[in-house]
């Protein structure tokens, strides 16, 4: 037998006997948790069901949105085809700046006031 083999066998025997003891003499009796009263739940929040989807069917894989508060809340987005697009007041999208790249994933203002497309 390998050195320490007796210790390993003894350790396994202790673990097995403890497990059998716990299973046979378990003092814990599971009790189902009481159902909380319905008043404990907040009312359903359906606010997102009334949202308006901007650019649906017009934009190619839009990623990220930037709201230019200084320009009256003008919306910008970056699309997968390499364009930074700007929403017109009538809801149409203008291909504002071509940045290129293999797929824009974000948009952010730069320090000089221009816009950055994030690859
Ligand atoms: C929306 O506004 C832009 C910019 O003023 C204009 O070029 C475009 O023709 C307008 N589109 C529609 C559908 O009104």
């Amino acid at each position: 037998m390998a050195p320490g083999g007796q210790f390993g066998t003894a350790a396994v025997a202790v673990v097995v006997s403890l497990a059998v003891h716990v299973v046979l003499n378990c003092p814990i009796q599971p009790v189902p948790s009481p159902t909380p009263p319905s008043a404990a739940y907040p009312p359903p929040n359906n606010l997102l069901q009334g949202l308006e989807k901007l650019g649906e069917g017009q934009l190619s894989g839009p990623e990220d949105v930037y709201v230019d508060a200084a320009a009256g809340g003008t919306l910008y987005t970056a699309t997968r085809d390499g364009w930074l697009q700007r929403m017109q007041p009538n809801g149409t999208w203008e291909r504002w700046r071509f940045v290129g790249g293999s797929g824009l994933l974000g948009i952010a203002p730069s320090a000089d006031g221009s816009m950055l497309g994030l690859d």
Side-chain angles (χ1 to χ4, degrees), residues 13-98:
V14 167
V15 168
V16 168
S17 69
L18 279 175
V20 168
H21 178 75
V22 167
V23 168
L24 296 179
N25 302 305
C26 181
I28 299 172
Q29 298 299 320
V31 176
S33 60
T35 307
S38 62
Y41 293 110
N45 181 342
N46 301 327
L47 292 175
L48 291 179
Q49 292 179 356
L51 66 81
E52 178 186 355
K53 296 179 181 178
L54 303 175
E56 188 173 34
Q58 301 173 50
L59 299 173
S60 165
E63 294 279 349
D64 205 359
V65 171
Y66 174 71
V67 180
D68 188 354
T74 301
L75 289 180
Y76 294 85
T77 188
T79 53
R80 289 292 186 138
D81 55 5
W83 283 92
L84 300 182
Q85 302 206 32
R86 176 168 61 185
M87 195 174 93
Q88 300 295 322
N90 62 14
T92 62
W93 290 87
E94 170 193 14
R95 288 182 159 190
W96 181 64
R97 296 278 189 278
F98 184 72

Side-chain angles (χ1 to χ4, degrees), residues 1-15:
M1 182 175 284
Q6 287 181 331
F7 176 75
T9 304
V12 169
V14 167
V15 168

